Structures are given as structure tokens and as C-alpha cells.
Amino acid sequence: MSQYQMSIKEAKQEVIHTLRIYLTRNEWGQYEIPAEKQRPVLLMGPPGIGKTAIMEQVAEEEGVALVSYTITHHTRQSAIGLPIIREREYNGTNFSVTEYTMSEIISSVYDKMEQTGRKEGILFLDEINCVSETLAPTMLQFLQYKTFGTHRVPEGWIIIAAGNPPEYNRSVRAFDITTLDRLKRIDIVEDYPSWREYAYARHVHPAILSYLDIRKDHFYQVETAIGGEEFVTARGWEDLSRYLLAAEKKELTAGTAAIHQYIQHEDIAGDFGNYYELFRRYRQQYNIPAILSGAALDETCPEGREATATLDRLREAPFDEAVSVLGLLLGGLNERFCDLFQTDGALTQVHKSLQRLRGQLATSRKAPEELLQEEYERTRQMLHTEKTAGRLTEGRERQLLLSLSHLSQIRSRLLEGAPVSSLPSFDRIKELFGSAVEQYSRSADETGQTLTNCFLFLEKAFAGRQEMVLFVTELTLNPNAAWFVSEHGCDKFFEYNRELLIDDKKAELKRKIREFSL
């Protein structure tokens, strides 16, 4: 990787920094960098590595609106508007002059501002360098002057464009120096470690993650074969994950033919198809649910008595098989971490609603259930607004949906009056909310015990071996696991993480000694 190229994770951070700088105002309320001097950001990188996904994440995290277009879907007319004949007088003579209606794209920005109430946002145009010949001059004008036809992008809206290098797309048009000199260009390269962090947060199928841990060179490939292009992208792996998870819920089998529909590289699709078949077999052979539940550690039950043979097999297993078992355990843990994280966010949202409701009870004549309904509608409107703003990620959407479910349940229980309580209305609401918090605490305790069960089992199989280091490293890199441990702790994780840090420091010291001796 060139020192000036970035991973998708680094590019996301650069976009965030640019957004914050461009939206900074001085003491007179003007933008520190005037809109006409704010260079549009140009993300250049291979297709399917997540350029669009980071726009959604940035919009959500920074609280701005997002309007997103794939520009190749547009004609010149939809981009700059339709011509209108106007009568104008010049030096006492009337002339017919061509003007244009507002661009569909600019109109969408104004619509978004009205719908969301947000005056600042991101206008994201994908495949910017793959436009048709008739639209190319319009795109160059837009990048240079931030206008479509005669209409300018509103102040406070940052332009971010994305394109593919010519080796990935035959229809790419090169930008001239005049245009490039007006852009803030970020070159992105495919990077599996960055994507893996994103994949954990998105609950990507553990078979895909453990496979790519073994076959990192299969993460992203584009090749020209006799039968045409063969390729595999980050987008392909994520979409395949959704398909596999949905198929497993329906107890359906996804064969290599189905996998090839997403991983359009014959050799890699076949290799992963074989691996996925083994992965599913290992789930049964190693009785993963018994390890997670702790039953495999209890010699008084059948699962515990069978665990001795399972441990013997795991100790002698090839590295690929051991990694698959680790992937299955990590996948089960990650599912629990994700659920807890979403529930935690939902309960935090409900707590804010109830704090607001408590203040209203002192001054309003409305019944508590009416105020609860208003908070429900407020949260529902928040969901609608964020979705309309184009900045609602899947995780945030689930949090808000869970919040709505909790508010609805509290209101229903309050109306039922069961169990009968003599508590004042808000104390009763607090009691009902407390029940949800207690359930969350029990789930957190169970998840903590599940994590400990995995450590105890793997200690018996891999004590002092690299598989144990790999398990701890994956937990450290997983943002969901990192959140859980920071919030709820895990003695075994801290114990092994300290050992891992000590080993890393020793390795670094040895490296420095070798460099010094040279």
C-alpha cells in the first residue's frame, strides 16, 4: 500500500475530519472555509469495498442528512433540469432565452432539508467517472463549480463523489488536471482487517470471517478469465452472509451454485462452498451449543461426558479445522454481544423518554398513558426522520424499533393495571422499566458466563498454543466484544489479554534489539 493510499477505515475518518472542518463556522456565523473554496471529496477505489456504506455511517455518527445518487442512472436532463424558454429584454429588444428547471438532484437536497429540518448534509454521487458522454461535461462543471445547470448546491452541503479506477471499469472517463486540482482526492485500497471490524458490527456470518482469516487473499480479487471477468468483493461477501443467515433460519442448504451467485469467481466460490459444508458439519460434531452453555464442562451430563473425545479431537485437529471451531464460538458470542448492544441502546433511548415524561407529569393534566403514547410517537417520528435523512444504519434502526417495543409494553402494562399496584403512576412506570433493565442485566450475566465457558473449554484444548492467542485477538478486534468487556467485564479475558500484551511487548523489544545489533 502506498503511503498516500488509505484503507476504508482510514478513509472514513478522513471524511469525518473533512466534514467537521467544512462545517466549522467563525465568530460571525460564516463557514471558516467558504463554500466555494470547499473542495469536493473524491473517493477513488475498487468497486464493492464499502464506499457507499461509510457515507451512511458518517451521516449517522455526525448527525447530518444524506442524499445519495448513483450518477450513471441519470440523464443530462435529470441532472441539470429541463429547458424553459423565457422572454428577456436587452437594450430595449426582446429575446427568447433558454433557462432550466431545477435539477432533480438539487431538488432532492432541498426536499431532504424540508423533510428532516436539517440544513447541513452530504450529497454523495457514486460512479462519478462512469457517466455517459452527454453527461460528462455536466459532471465536470458540477465538480468545479458545485452547480447543476444554473442551480447551486445549498451552503452546508458537502459534496462527496466516488469512482472506480480504470482497471476495474471500461467505461471510466479520466478527469483532467483542471478538474482534479479542484478536488480533495482520497485513494482507497481493499483492506481485510478494516472490513473485518465492520463485518463484526454487521453480524457477518462466522463461516465467512473464519474462512477469510485463513484465506485472506480471497477477500478481494478481480481477474480476467477466458469466460470473462471473475471477481469477488467485500459487497459480495456481505450480501452472501445475509443469504446464508436467512437460509439457515429456514433450515435450507446453500450450495456452491448459490454461493457463486454472490462470489463470482469460480475457484473461490468452490473453495468457500467446500469450507462452508465442513463448517456446518463442525457445528454438529463439536456440539457448539454445549460449549457455549457450559454443558460441555459438566461431567454429570451427557454433553460433558462426550466432551473428552471432543477435546482430544480438537487438540489434534489441523489448523484450518481449529480456526473453524473458533469461528463458530466467536459467531455465537458475537450474536449475544450484538443483541445486548442493541438492547442497551434501546433502554438508553427509553430512559430519555421517561425522564422527559417525568417532567411533564408535574405540569400536564394528561394521563400517564397519554404521555407515554406521545413519547412513543416522538420516537416513531425520530425513526422516520432519520430514515428520511438517509442516515439510519441497520443497528440504529433496530435500537429505535426496540425502544418502540419497550414503550408500547410499558403503556400496555400500565393500562392493564396487572399486577395490581398501589404505586403512584410514575413509580409504576419506573417499576415496569426496571423489569426490562433487570432482564437486560440477566442477559448480560448469561453472556458473561458464556464467554467464560468458551475460555474454560479452550484452555483445556489450546492452553499455551497460538489458537488461544487467535481467540483473544479476535475478541479484542471485535467492537461488539470490546464494548461488552468494557461495560460488563470478564476476568478470563483480562487475564489472557494482559498475557497477550506482555508477549507483544517482548516481541517488540526483541525486534528493537535485533535492529540495534545490525
Side-chain angles (χ1 to χ4, degrees):
M1 184 188 295
S2 162
Q3 62 177 320
Y4 298 117
Q5 290 178 316
M6 295 185 179
S7 67
I8 196 71
K9 181 180 179 181
E10 293 168 330
K12 175 186 172 182
Q13 200 57 47
E14 185 64 26
V15 169
I16 289 174
H17 289 167
T18 301
L19 185 71
R20 291 176 180 174
I21 290 168
Y22 282 0
L23 296 182
T24 299
R25 295 177 184 268
N26 60 25
E27 58 268 37
W28 297 286
Q30 301 165 326
Y31 287 110
E32 198 70 52
I33 300 177
E36 62 271 15
K37 294 297 182 182
Q38 294 178 3
R39 290 190 172 199
V41 178
L42 176 62
L43 304 175
M44 289 294 289
I49 62 171
K51 297 188 288 293
T52 304
I54 66 171
M55 290 303 104
E56 297 169 355
Q57 295 168 34
V58 169
E60 182 198 8
E61 292 171 20
E62 296 302 302
V64 297
L66 173 67
V67 171
S68 181
Y69 274 97
T70 299
I71 202 63
T72 48
H73 297 169
H74 281 268
T75 64
R76 184 173 182 275
Q77 287 74 22
S78 63
I80 70 171
L82 296 171
I84 303 174
I85 306 299
R86 301 284 193 192
E87 291 295 324
R88 291 289 180 87
E89 182 180 318
Y90 299 105
N91 294 326
T93 304
N94 289 329
F95 293 91
S96 295
V97 178
T98 302
E99 294 184 4
Y100 290 90
T101 58
M102 181 176 283
S103 158
E104 178 185 322
I105 296 172
I106 302 293
S107 175
S108 295
V109 172
Y110 281 106
D111 287 343
K112 189 73 70 173
M113 292 166 69
E114 277 193 19
Q115 293 163 0
T116 65
R118 298 184 181 275
K119 304 304 180 185
E120 296 177 331
I122 296 170
L123 173 56
F124 178 63
L125 302 177
D126 200 7
E127 299 182 6
I128 192 75
N129 60 342
C130 300
V131 295
S132 64
E133 186 174 348
T134 56
L135 194 53
T138 301
M139 285 300 101
L140 296 179
Q141 178 198 27
F142 172 72
L143 292 174
Q144 290 182 22
Y145 304 109
K146 303 182 180 68
T147 60
F148 276 120
T150 56
H151 301 281
R152 179 178 287 272
V153 175
E155 270 198 338
W157 280 75
I158 311 306
I159 299 167
I160 301 179
N164 304 140
E167 60 266 31
Y168 297 102
N169 197 322
R170 295 189 187 94
S171 61
V172 160
R173 294 176 177 277
F175 292 137
D176 57 28
I177 293 176
T178 304
T179 301
L180 290 173
D181 195 35
R182 288 176 167 84
L183 302 175
K184 179 179 166 68
R185 176 170 172 159
I186 300 174
D187 289 305
I188 309 174
V189 292
E190 64 275 12
D191 178 60
Y192 175 61
S194 294
W195 182 81
R196 182 172 54 182
E197 288 185 40
Y198 164 85
Y200 273 129
R202 288 298 182 100
H203 197 186
V204 165
H205 198 291
I208 290 174
L209 291 175
S210 57
Y211 172 78
L212 292 175
D213 281 338
I214 301 167
R215 309 273 197 275
K216 291 182 177 64
D217 58 321
H218 288 182
F219 169 61
Y220 194 100
Q221 286 193 29
V222 177
E223 299 175 358
T224 301
I226 295 174
E229 298 288 344
E230 288 199 320
F231 58 91
V232 53
T233 68
R235 182 191 295 128
W237 287 117
E238 184 176 1
D239 290 347
L240 174 62
S241 168
R242 294 175 187 274
Y243 182 81
L244 294 179
L245 290 169
E248 288 174 5
K249 281 185 179 179
K250 290 289 187 181
E251 298 184 353
L252 299 173
T253 302
T256 302
I259 290 168
H260 187 258
Q261 292 159 17
Y262 295 89
I263 307 304
Q264 298 181 51
H265 187 293
E266 190 167 338
D267 291 342
I268 295 176
D271 192 45
F272 177 72
N274 294 333
Y275 178 83
Y276 178 59
E277 187 177 338
L278 286 171
F279 188 87
R280 297 180 69 217
R281 194 180 305 165
Y282 295 150
R283 181 180 288 152
Q284 300 299 323
Q285 292 174 343
Y286 284 96
N287 199 349
I288 298 301
I291 298 173
L292 293 169
S293 69
L297 301 167
D298 183 0
E299 295 182 0
T300 64
C301 67
E303 291 89 347
R305 290 191 289 272
E306 293 170 2
T308 301
T310 300
L311 283 166
D312 289 340
R313 175 179 174 177
L314 191 54
R315 290 188 191 102
E316 302 300 322
F319 184 69
D320 286 13
E321 185 171 329
V323 169
S324 298
V325 174
L326 292 180
L328 284 161
L329 294 174
L330 288 163
L333 287 167
N334 191 51
E335 186 175 341
R336 289 162 172 79
F337 296 148
C338 282
D339 287 344
L340 274 176
F341 180 75
Q342 300 298 341
T343 303
D344 182 86
L347 290 175
T348 300
Q349 186 71 44
V350 172
H351 185 255
K352 291 178 182 177
S353 293
L354 297 186
Q355 282 183 315
R356 196 161 39 241
L357 183 147
R358 185 176 191 175
Q360 292 171 334
L361 278 173
T363 57
S364 176
R365 294 182 178 179
K366 294 180 180 178
E369 55 268 23
E370 288 183 79
L371 294 174
L372 272 170
Q373 183 62 31
E374 287 179 4
E375 288 301 323
Y376 179 91
E377 293 300 330
R378 185 195 297 270
T379 305
R380 194 164 67 88
Q381 183 58 42
M382 186 186 302
L383 173 64
H384 173 74
T385 299
E386 292 188 15
K387 195 165 191 174
T388 304
R391 59 185 186 86
L392 186 68
T393 61
E394 289 181 27
R396 173 64 173 163
E397 182 175 21
R398 184 155 185 260
Q399 283 185 354
L400 290 173
L401 289 171
L402 282 171
S403 301
L404 290 171
S405 177
H406 282 299
L407 287 170
S408 178
Q409 288 174 20
I410 291 172
R411 184 174 181 274
S412 296
R413 295 291 302 278
L414 190 66
L415 287 169
E416 290 168 5
V420 176
S421 173
S422 59
L423 291 172
S425 296
F426 186 76
D427 287 344
R428 175 62 177 148
I429 291 171
K430 190 165 66 172
E431 181 184 62
L432 293 169
F433 178 67
S435 298
V437 173
E438 287 174 13
Q439 177 59 47
Y440 167 79
S441 296
R442 286 194 294 272
S443 297
D445 290 342
E446 290 169 4
T447 299
Q449 186 58 55
T450 301
L451 180 55
T452 300
N453 293 339
C454 289
F455 271 109
L456 293 173
F457 183 84
L458 293 175
E459 277 178 347
K460 293 184 176 183
F462 300 131
R465 287 171 47 173
Q466 63 177 334
E467 289 89 346
M468 200 70 190
V469 174
L470 179 60
F471 181 70
V472 177
T473 302
E474 288 299 309
L475 286 173
T476 305
L477 294 173
N478 182 344
N480 298 317
W483 168 83
F484 176 81
V485 172
S486 67
E487 288 290 318
H488 302 283
C490 176
D491 292 340
K492 279 292 181 183
F493 174 83
F494 291 133
E495 175 190 332
Y496 277 96
N497 200 42
R498 278 194 297 271
E499 291 179 10
L500 185 60
L501 289 173
I502 290 170
D503 289 342
D504 287 346
K505 288 177 181 176
K506 286 180 179 177
E508 178 67 12
L509 183 60
K510 288 179 181 178
R511 185 185 65 78
K512 289 181 177 178
I513 291 171
R514 284 197 302 272
E515 288 178 356
F516 181 76
S517 63
L518 292 174

